[in-house]
């Protein structure tokens, strides 16, 4: 028997007072599909903000208001993406002890682009 607490899903939104929201269930209901759609939208927005940020940061000449606005938007997107990562990570199956991920190159195991190095914007 599965413990219902073990199968709670962290939802991609907070309560009005800022507390995390959770959903119990098999992941096939209306709220689960709504949460999936919202996660996709949040990740898409974060990707768009990254593309906006790159030229601004590379330019190295920005107004305080421009940089402050970008930092605020990126911080909000990072909070959302972090919540999505926590939620999805909590739903991953726990690997057996004999499984190894040693053959995955750092920064390339998630199917996305390699991570940016610190000298990217220098």
């Amino acid at each position: 028997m599965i413990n219902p607490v073990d199968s709670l899903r962290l939802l991609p939104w907070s309560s009005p007072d800022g507390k995390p929201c959770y959903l119990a269930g098999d992941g096939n209901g209306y709220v689960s599909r709504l949460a999936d759609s919202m996660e996709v939208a949040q990740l898409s927005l974060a990707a768009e903000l990254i593309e906006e940020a790159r030229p601004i940061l590379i330019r190295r000449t920005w107004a305080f208001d421009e940089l402050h606005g970008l930092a605020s938007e990126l911080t909000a997107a990072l909070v959302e993406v972090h919540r999505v990562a926590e939620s999805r990570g909590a739903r991953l199956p726990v690997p057996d002890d004999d499984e190894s991920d040693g053959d995955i190159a750092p920064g390339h195991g998630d199917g996305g682009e390699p991570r940016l190095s610190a000298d990217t914007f220098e």
Side-chain angles (χ1 to χ4, degrees):
M1 182 172 171
I2 296 175
N3 183 350
V5 175
D6 292 338
S7 63
L8 292 178
R9 175 183 179 171
L10 176 62
L11 294 172
W13 55 79
S14 302
S15 70
D17 57 347
K19 294 182 180 177
C21 295
Y22 294 91
L23 175 68
D26 61 4
N28 294 318
Y30 172 77
V31 176
S32 289
R33 290 190 304 275
L34 181 65
D36 291 341
S37 295
M38 188 165 186
E39 285 180 354
V40 169
Q42 290 170 329
L43 295 173
S44 296
L45 176 61
E48 290 173 21
L49 284 170
I50 290 168
E51 292 307 311
E52 271 184 49
R54 282 188 174 128
I56 291 170
L57 295 173
I58 289 170
R59 190 175 73 223
R60 289 185 176 241
T61 56
W62 50 77
F64 174 78
D65 291 345
E66 180 181 32
L67 193 57
H68 183 265
L70 178 63
S72 296
E73 289 180 32
L74 286 170
T75 301
L78 184 59
V79 167
E80 291 174 349
V81 168
H82 183 262
R83 186 181 297 124
V84 170
E86 277 189 283
S87 177
R88 291 183 179 185
R91 289 180 279 142
L92 289 174
V94 177
D96 294 335
D97 288 340
D98 60 346
E99 290 184 25
S100 172
D101 62 356
D103 58 342
I104 299 174
H108 292 87
D110 59 2
E113 294 181 10
R115 294 185 185 113
L116 296 175
S117 64
D119 61 347
T120 300
F121 299 107
E122 292 181 4

